[in-house]
Amino acid sequence: MTRPPLRLGVNIDHVATLRNARGSAYPDPVRAALMAQEAGADGITAHLREDRRHIVDLDIERLMAAITLPLNFEMAATREMQTIALRHRPHAVCLVPEKREERTTEGGLDVAGDAERLADFIAPLREAGSRVSLFIGHDPHQIDASARIGAAVVELHTGHYCDLIAQGRPDAAAQELEALRMGATRAQAAGLEVHAGHGLSFDTVAPFAAMDALRELNIGHFLVSEAVFMGLGPAIAKMRRVMDDARR
Ligand code: PXP
């Protein structure tokens, strides 16, 4: 049986991290997005954080104008970000929890505990035509709540699995993978489109690429890191190949 296609969303945040490290105009995340498009990406993801530590407002404007691929706009569920998203109307809006002091998005959203507010928050985004995605862990309560409040998509957080692999804990990683697999199946059965991402690399992507229920993987930090050694286009093309081989 052939599996449904799996999209690769390339997250370009850390091209902007490198640019901002020197306050220069390069490397340009828009150039990276255009290169990702050439190399076989199916979408571009960019996270406008409250502190603008990597992507800045002008990057979002320039991306919207320059790319033909769908933009997945990652943001916290704040009024400021909602206003920006409603102005740009990107293809997708992915809501993530955000803490100022964290290095990266550490956990998933508490959709079950914040259901009423999030339902109100996503309604205008949906009306504006953006697909709303919620970044969550594999907890069944979070999955069910995401479906209940009207999200179109959930993105499952793969970061913990990748950390366990890096720590050399294969048994715990296998358990986490199984929980993610069950979560993906549950979300699909609830009518949600299922994506996954965070921390994925050539070494950790295969089991996710092989999951029938998944439709999209979003990958950033590893690809930008690998670009230092092999170039961004080749890194993305190789990721595409690893995903396609695993899905076959
Ligand atoms: N998906 C979501 C929702 C994220 O917040 C991030 C990190 O910004 C990613 C995917 C990509 O993670 P990484 O940069 O570790 O590949």
Side-chain angles (χ1 to χ4, degrees):
M1 198 187 77
T2 51
R3 297 190 165 104
L6 181 65
R7 293 190 297 272
L8 170 59
V10 172
N11 181 317
I12 53 164
D13 291 348
H14 297 299
V15 177
T17 303
L18 191 55
R19 174 194 63 190
N20 298 358
R22 288 289 292 270
S24 55
Y26 60 85
D28 178 7
V30 176
R31 183 174 170 198
L34 294 170
M35 194 171 271
Q37 194 164 311
E38 284 276 296
D42 301 294
I44 300 298
T45 294
H47 183 179
L48 185 66
R49 293 186 77 104
E50 184 198 6
D51 62 9
R52 312 306 201 260
R53 70 174 72 158
H54 37 57
I55 293 294
V56 298
D57 301 61
L58 183 60
D59 293 326
I60 299 295
E61 268 173 46
R62 292 178 60 235
L63 281 167
M64 286 295 296
I67 63 172
T68 52
L69 288 180
L71 178 69
N72 178 32
F73 179 57
E74 266 186 40
M75 60 179 231
T78 64
R79 285 290 156 217
E80 182 202 13
M81 289 300 152
Q82 190 191 49
T83 303
I84 294 170
L86 289 173
R87 190 163 72 241
H88 291 298
R89 298 169 175 243
H91 167 79
V93 169
C94 179
L95 298 184
V96 300
E98 209 177 281
K99 290 191 227 117
R100 204 167 248 276
E101 65 277 15
E102 71 192 352
R103 264 202 233 156
T104 181
T105 314
E106 284 164 0
L109 278 174
D110 180 13
V111 185
D114 200 12
E116 221 171 294
R117 186 183 78 90
L118 286 173
D120 287 348
F121 188 87
I122 68 176
L125 297 167
R126 291 172 54 190
E127 278 159 30
S130 294
R131 299 188 82 199
V132 175
S133 168
L134 303 176
F135 190 46
I136 59 170
H138 49 60
D139 178 351
H141 295 111
Q142 302 300 346
I143 294 166
D144 297 351
S146 301
R148 232 178 10 253
I149 71 167
V153 179
V154 284
E155 179 162 334
L156 298 179
H157 197 313
T158 54
H160 185 46
Y161 169 80
C162 296
D163 288 345
L164 291 167
I165 293 287
Q167 291 159 13
R169 297 169 60 195
D171 295 345
Q175 265 185 23
E176 176 68 8
L177 185 64
E178 194 45 36
L180 285 163
R181 191 192 316 281
M182 285 169 59
T185 306
R186 186 182 186 101
Q188 187 185 40
L192 292 156
E193 184 170 299
V194 195
H195 302 175
H198 209 281
L200 295 173
S201 68
F202 296 147
D203 293 335
T204 51
V205 78
F208 298 103
M211 277 185 201
D212 287 335
L214 292 183
R215 293 288 182 276
E216 180 174 309
L217 299 178
N218 283 301
I219 309 179
H221 185 247
F222 175 79
L223 289 172
V224 174
S225 305
E226 205 55 22
V228 172
F229 303 106
M230 64 191 293
L232 185 60
I236 292 168
K238 180 170 173 183
M239 185 61 81
R240 183 77 264 176
R241 279 197 305 278
V242 174
M243 284 167 55
D244 290 347
D245 287 350
R247 200 153 182 90
R248 229 175 260 127

